[in-house]
Amino acid sequence: MKHFLVSLHLLGSFLQIMSQCTVPRSEFHLEGDYLVGGLFDIHEVTAKLHNRPEAINCLSQPFVSSSHRRFQLMRFSVEEINNSTDLLPDVSLGYEIFDYCTDVQNFPSIFKLISVNGLIQAQNEPHNNLSKVVAVVGLYTSTETRTAAPFFMKNLIPMVSYGASSSIFSRKQIFPSFLRTARPNKDIMQVIVNIVLHFKWQWVAFLTSDNDYGNDGLDLFTKMIRKTDICLAYTNSLNHHTDYTQIFKRINAQNISIIIVFALERTAEVLIESAIQLNVTNKVWIAGDAWSLNKKLPKVIGIKSIGTVLGVCEVAMAIPGFSDFIHRSKSHARCESDGQQKFCNQVCNCSSLSPEEIFAADPSFSFSVYSAVYAIAHALHKVLQCGAGRCNRNVTVLPRMVLAELKKSNFTLLNETIHFDENGDPMFGSYSIIYWNDNGDAEVVGISTFQPSFHLLINNSKIQWYSNEDVPTSKCSQECKAGHVKYQGGIHKCCFTCEICPRDTYVNTTEDPYKCNVCKKTEWSAEGSTSCNLRVVEYMPFTSPIAILIMIGAVALEILTLAISVLFSINYNTPIVRSAGGPMCFLILGCLSLSSLSVFFFFGKPTPPFCILRLLPFILFYTVCVACFVVRSFQIVCIFKMAAKFPNLYSWWTKYHGQWLVITGAFVMQAVLLLIGYSQETPKPYDETLWSPDKIILTCDTNLKGTAGSVILLSSLCCLCFIFSYMGKDLPKNYNEAKAITFCLLLLIVTWMVFATAYILYHDMFIQILNSLAVLFSLYYFLMWYFLPKCYIIIFQPQKNTPQYFQGLIQNYTKTISQ
């Protein structure tokens, strides 16, 4: 801080030297009881200056008509306040205004405002020799303001800016006495972002001034578009060395149609003029509030060729009395009236300007200047305790007292309620959305308000696009078709390829257009879907006609086995029953009956017990049946072919009842295999969805690992049975059970081959019907082709069911073999 004070004293001495710079009396000074400082960039330095601590004569720089208009508006505001009998009734308000054309060589103007007789009040010294300046209006640009503001913050001199919009000025720990009547960049950027969203543009370029204003705007824009569909395709900062040819070449190469220009007025003018010269066409330009109401560019030849220009600006408000003030001022020609010496940069050389030229200048930020002056006057009104036509002149007005009242501002000006938030930002004002029409005028096509909440309204029908058609599009990639997801290959979310969502997935573009969501198990979708459909749940109920017929067939089999068992028990000692197997017949019939129980568990909603009992009874008891037929086939071959050749084997077989050992062994082995297999992989209900995408087939998950051993055993027994029965194919015709067994086995093999083929190719609900039929047919084959012919002989051909008849067949066969 000591170094800072020393610098101020040195610069104060520098100020005294510079005070020798004299110019004729101008409109920049007005005596009053209290002074308001004013800083306006009536001239603008366009070339880069040397970094030397020397003052500059702003009069030698290019004239800025819009800033001159704002300068005149401050003069008018002070005069209007002085003419008022209510605001400051017996107190006069004066001003000390400077032309602030550069941010690095205008320090004498600042020191003049904060000094008295060339000296600056040191910090912590008694306030007994203070400047009459109670507040300052200005500056316009953020860079100029950031340079000048710290000098006023030292003694908490209120600085009310009418144009500085960078976000940093909202930080009160750095700028405690700073307020502004122009809305900050975050509000402007919110409007611009919402304009882009309104027209559904995604692929944009953002060009800025190479200064605090532009950099802050770019930073805010980047943050605001993160959670939107907008992509920043290209950005560049514009300065004196910008190569506009390269900029537009890059923009055209990336097929960008929307260009946001957030730059100061002079920078924007150079950019647009370069675009016209370089024949840049078919673009939509979005202008920031600094140049959207520019009066020069809409009249430039060739402006229509660049495309459509939209912009954001402060809502235009007519200020009563300003026109009369300008005409009255110009009639007195006060700019160069006499030779009274004044401080430098307090001359504008503007006597040649006509009132019409002033009114034709860009009116942007007019109300901001007007409200800034009035806010200071209302604060002074509070400090001086004005009322009843007089003010308390005994009050020592300190800048910090004016600051305190400024922060509490709450008054109405031209139907706007003027007040500030805790950061010194305005809580009033709105923006117009303008369009440069064919007549070169800025036509209002929409409005954006911030209080009580943000709202944007645009009348699209008022905008005539460069294509004379619908709203232009600006996209890196065309939108994906319905049911396709976006695959982002680079850094820009707007640039993507489209991939179709596979079956049983869908894409919800409102939630996440980059992901195919998996449907629930109870839902399905076709390829390229945007939603899922409920699956139809199907299973074969007990009430189905087909199920009823099959169950009737199973019941009929039960009845037939019972009837045959009764018939065979009555004729147990007859040759037919004996040749059929004797007591083994009852075991076969009983196992066939028990095997048929599996048929009933193929119907109804699958449950764990149902899934177990679908195949368990059939595999277990059908194994016993097949084992019995293996034994029968072996016995037939032994009796007629092997008894004479292998008598010892035959003797051992009969002595130890080999047939029962084989049957028991097959049963025990199958039971063990089923127990092991089902303990590892127990059949359970399963929802089949792969084969019928729109359905859920309720079935049982019969794992092959769990039943493999049992199926192999059963298949092996069938093969042995087929071999033995085939060996006995030339036995006596009326005594040949082997042929019947062979035929049954052939039918059995064909049936299960058909089922296996259907199961591989077709997994619909009716596969359960085929499975139950395969089981039922497997039982009926032995019943029909092995037992029923014997029942027929017993009932209708009893003469063939005699010992004599059978002995004759055996004798004839023996003679045939011996020959």
Side-chain angles (χ1 to χ4, degrees):
M1 182 58 68
K2 292 181 178 179
H3 292 89
F4 179 72
L5 294 175
V6 171
S7 299
L8 288 181
H9 283 290
L10 289 174
L11 288 172
S13 300
F14 178 74
L15 174 67
Q16 287 183 313
I17 297 173
M18 290 307 301
S19 63
Q20 303 303 317
C21 172
T22 59
V23 294
R25 179 185 175 188
S26 67
E27 301 169 313
F28 289 77
H29 177 77
L30 178 67
E31 290 292 341
D33 296 320
Y34 300 96
L35 292 182
V36 177
L39 297 172
F40 293 85
D41 52 346
I42 301 174
H43 295 84
E44 180 184 17
V45 174
T46 57
K48 186 175 181 181
L49 299 174
H50 297 290
N51 293 324
R52 292 196 297 264
E54 60 182 17
I56 186 173
N57 185 1
C58 292
L59 191 62
S60 62
Q61 303 301 318
F63 178 72
V64 182
S65 59
S66 57
S67 289
H68 177 260
R69 177 190 172 104
R70 290 188 281 268
F71 155 70
Q72 294 291 351
L73 194 54
M74 177 177 173
R75 294 182 60 245
F76 161 72
S77 303
V78 172
E79 180 178 295
E80 188 178 58
I81 291 169
N82 286 334
N83 291 334
S84 170
T85 58
D86 297 325
L87 194 54
L88 297 173
D90 60 343
V91 174
S92 63
L93 193 63
Y95 52 75
E96 193 78 50
I97 305 176
F98 293 92
D99 186 359
Y100 200 89
C101 58
T102 170
D103 59 321
V104 295
Q105 293 180 317
N106 266 133
F107 291 111
S109 303
I110 299 173
F111 297 138
K112 177 65 174 178
L113 291 176
I114 63 176
S115 66
V116 177
N117 298 323
L119 297 176
I120 297 175
Q121 177 73 43
Q123 192 173 13
N124 299 325
E125 289 187 6
H127 301 287
N128 54 8
N129 193 23
L130 294 177
S131 168
K132 293 173 65 176
V133 176
V134 295
V136 176
V137 175
L139 285 150
Y140 174 58
T141 71
S142 296
T143 301
E144 294 170 345
T145 305
R146 194 168 181 179
T147 303
F151 294 98
F152 300 105
M153 302 299 107
K154 172 183 158 306
N155 286 322
L156 296 180
I157 299 175
M159 186 177 188
V160 186
S161 173
Y162 53 85
S165 55
S166 290
S167 303
I168 193 171
F169 298 119
S170 297
R171 298 168 63 179
K172 293 300 101 179
Q173 64 272 31
I174 302 177
F175 301 97
S177 62
F178 180 89
L179 299 94
R180 52 184 160 193
T181 52
R183 298 198 73 94
N185 279 344
K186 66 181 181 64
D187 294 339
I188 306 166
M189 211 47 59
Q190 185 178 14
V191 177
I192 291 176
V193 169
N194 278 275
I195 290 174
V196 177
L197 291 173
H198 174 81
F199 292 111
K200 298 180 180 180
W201 293 322
Q202 297 178 352
W203 196 233
V204 302
F206 197 97
L207 304 180
T208 70
S209 296
D210 188 11
N211 54 24
D212 295 278
Y213 171 75
N215 295 335
D216 182 59
L218 177 60
D219 183 58
L220 289 168
F221 183 79
T222 304
K223 291 177 180 178
M224 288 184 180
I225 66 173
R226 282 177 184 169
K227 295 184 179 181
T228 69
D229 292 330
I230 303 171
C231 289
L232 183 56
Y234 177 76
T235 181
N236 206 331
S237 297
L238 309 177
N239 53 43
H240 301 296
H241 307 291
T242 298
D243 186 344
Y244 292 99
T245 303
Q246 287 299 319
I247 287 179
F248 291 118
K249 186 179 292 185
R250 292 279 300 276
I251 288 175
N252 289 329
Q254 296 186 65
N255 196 27
I256 303 171
S257 300
I258 311 301
I259 304 175
I260 301 169
V261 183
F262 197 71
L264 298 179
E265 187 173 26
R266 179 56 188 163
T267 305
E269 287 178 355
V270 176
L271 172 71
I272 298 301
E273 289 169 354
S274 299
I276 296 173
Q277 294 174 3
L278 295 171
N279 196 28
V280 177
T281 59
N282 298 339
K283 305 294 182 186
V284 175
W285 305 78
I286 301 179
D289 57 344
W291 68 280
S292 58
L293 295 181
N294 185 282
K295 298 298 182 179
K296 172 185 175 183
L297 290 176
K299 310 297 182 181
V300 174
I301 298 175
I303 188 66
K304 295 181 181 179
S305 65
I306 67 171
T308 303
V309 180
L310 302 178
V312 179
C313 67
E314 180 186 83
V315 172
M317 299 181 68
I319 298 177
F322 180 56
S323 176
D324 294 338
F325 170 79
I326 294 298
H327 283 94
R328 186 169 63 253
S329 297
K330 287 302 173 183
S331 66
H332 289 84
R334 293 177 54 192
C335 279
E336 298 174 351
S337 58
D338 58 44
Q340 183 178 349
Q341 302 299 312
K342 298 303 296 177
F343 199 76
C344 66
N345 289 335
Q346 286 188 299
V347 63
C348 65
N349 192 21
C350 55
S351 59
S352 60
L353 285 177
S354 66
E356 288 71 24
E357 290 176 306
I358 295 176
F359 299 139
D362 182 352
S364 299
F365 303 98
S366 295
F367 185 73
S368 296
V369 174
Y370 190 61
S371 57
V373 177
Y374 264 88
I376 295 171
H378 274 271
L380 195 58
H381 175 91
K382 295 288 186 181
V383 173
L384 293 174
Q385 304 169 7
C386 297
R390 60 184 298 276
C391 296
N392 186 358
R393 289 176 171 269
N394 295 324
V395 176
T396 301
V397 178
L398 300 177
R400 65 170 180 269
M401 298 167 63
V402 178
L403 174 65
E405 295 299 333
L406 267 172
K407 292 179 178 179
K408 296 185 289 185
S409 295
N410 191 354
F411 63 94
T412 301
L413 184 66
L414 300 184
N415 297 322
E416 282 281 356
T417 301
I418 309 300
H419 58 296
F420 304 92
D421 64 13
E422 65 276 8
N423 297 320
D425 294 331
M427 296 182 67
F428 59 91
S430 54
Y431 281 109
S432 294
I433 314 303
I434 58 97
Y435 152 69
W436 288 7
N437 59 28
D438 291 339
N439 298 326
D441 298 325
E443 180 181 352
V444 177
V445 296
I447 189 170
S448 175
T449 57
F450 300 91
Q451 304 296 335
S453 60
F454 179 81
H455 181 69
L456 176 70
L457 179 64
I458 299 178
N459 187 348
N460 295 358
S461 62
K462 288 187 175 182
I463 304 173
Q464 184 177 353
W465 302 103
Y466 60 80
S467 59
N468 293 322
E469 296 177 358
D470 295 333
V471 179
T473 59
S474 184
K475 298 179 179 180
C476 177
S477 302
Q478 293 301 315
E479 285 299 320
C480 295
K481 296 179 181 178
H484 290 66
V485 291
K486 299 175 181 178
Y487 176 75
Q488 183 178 334
I491 61 173
H492 294 296
K493 57 190 173 184
C494 300
C495 301
F496 50 80
T497 57
C498 298
E499 296 180 358
I500 192 168
C501 283
R503 195 181 74 176
D504 291 336
T505 64
Y506 71 99
V507 57
N508 188 338
T509 54
T510 58
E511 291 183 359
D512 189 355
Y514 298 91
K515 179 183 178 182
C516 289
N517 303 293
V518 179
C519 294
K520 296 179 182 178
K521 191 176 180 180
T522 57
E523 298 176 335
W524 73 282
S525 68
E527 187 180 59
S529 296
T530 56
S531 62
C532 294
N533 305 306
L534 284 174
R535 296 180 188 267
V536 178
V537 179
E538 289 188 352
Y539 63 92
M540 187 58 66
F542 286 106
T543 56
S544 171
I546 298 177
I548 292 173
L549 288 176
I550 293 174
M551 287 187 291
I552 290 174
V555 172
L557 186 140
E558 299 277 355
I559 296 172
L560 280 174
T561 54
L562 179 62
I564 293 172
S565 298
V566 171
L567 182 62
F568 273 36
S569 63
I570 295 173
N571 297 275
Y572 181 75
N573 293 319
T574 60
I576 286 292
V577 176
R578 290 290 182 180
S579 66
M584 197 178 293
C585 291
F586 299 102
L587 178 61
I588 295 172
L589 290 170
C591 288
L592 288 176
S593 179
L594 291 172
S595 297
S596 67
L597 294 176
S598 293
V599 174
F600 296 95
F601 297 102
F602 281 96
F603 309 111
K605 191 173 183 178
T607 61
F610 269 48
C611 290
I612 293 174
L613 295 174
R614 276 191 178 185
L615 292 176
L616 179 63
F618 173 73
I619 293 177
L620 182 61
F621 295 110
Y622 202 71
T623 298
V624 176
C625 292
V626 175
C628 290
F629 284 113
V630 168
V631 170
R632 286 296 303 140
S633 300
F634 179 73
Q635 284 179 328
I636 293 170
V637 172
C638 286
I639 291 172
F640 288 98
K641 290 189 175 183
M642 299 180 65
K645 297 181 181 180
F646 303 100
N648 293 330
L649 179 61
Y650 179 72
S651 175
W652 182 91
W653 179 268
T654 54
K655 180 179 179 180
Y656 294 102
H657 303 286
Q659 66 273 25
W660 296 112
L661 291 175
V662 173
I663 294 170
T664 303
F667 174 77
V668 172
M669 188 179 299
Q670 187 65 283
V672 171
L673 289 173
L674 285 172
L675 181 62
I676 295 173
Y678 278 22
S679 63
Q680 292 180 347
E681 296 288 345
T682 305
K684 55 185 178 296
Y686 170 68
D687 296 340
E688 173 60 60
T689 58
L690 295 177
W691 292 84
S692 299
D694 59 339
K695 300 177 183 177
I696 297 179
I697 308 299
L698 300 184
T699 183
C700 291
D701 182 18
T702 305
N703 195 288
L704 293 178
K705 293 181 180 179
T707 58
S710 300
V711 172
I712 290 173
L713 176 60
L714 183 57
S715 302
S716 301
L717 290 174
C718 289
C719 291
L720 283 174
C721 185
F722 183 80
I723 292 171
F724 289 139
S725 62
Y726 184 78
M727 291 171 63
K729 68 182 187 304
D730 56 345
L731 293 177
K733 180 178 180 182
N734 293 330
Y735 187 67
N736 194 354
E737 288 97 350
K739 290 183 179 179
I741 295 171
T742 303
F743 184 67
C744 290
L745 289 172
L746 285 173
L747 291 176
L748 183 68
I749 292 170
V750 171
T751 298
W752 285 100
M753 287 181 64
V754 171
F755 170 74
T757 304
Y759 185 81
I760 293 172
L761 300 176
Y762 193 63
H763 269 215
D764 206 344
M765 177 180 62
F766 293 98
I767 201 68
Q768 302 174 50
I769 299 294
L770 292 178
N771 200 348
S772 61
L773 286 174
V775 170
L776 192 61
F777 286 167
S778 299
L779 303 176
Y780 265 108
Y781 291 152
F782 286 115
L783 196 67
M784 298 292 293
W785 299 105
Y786 186 81
F787 287 103
L788 285 185
K790 293 172 174 51
C791 293
Y792 180 81
I793 292 173
I794 292 172
I795 297 172
F796 298 106
Q797 294 179 341
Q799 69 278 7
K800 293 183 179 181
N801 190 19
T802 61
Q804 294 81 7
Y805 182 78
F806 273 81
Q807 287 176 359
L809 292 175
I810 294 172
Q811 289 174 359
N812 291 335
Y813 179 74
T814 304
K815 289 178 182 179
T816 304
I817 291 183
S818 63
Q819 292 176 358

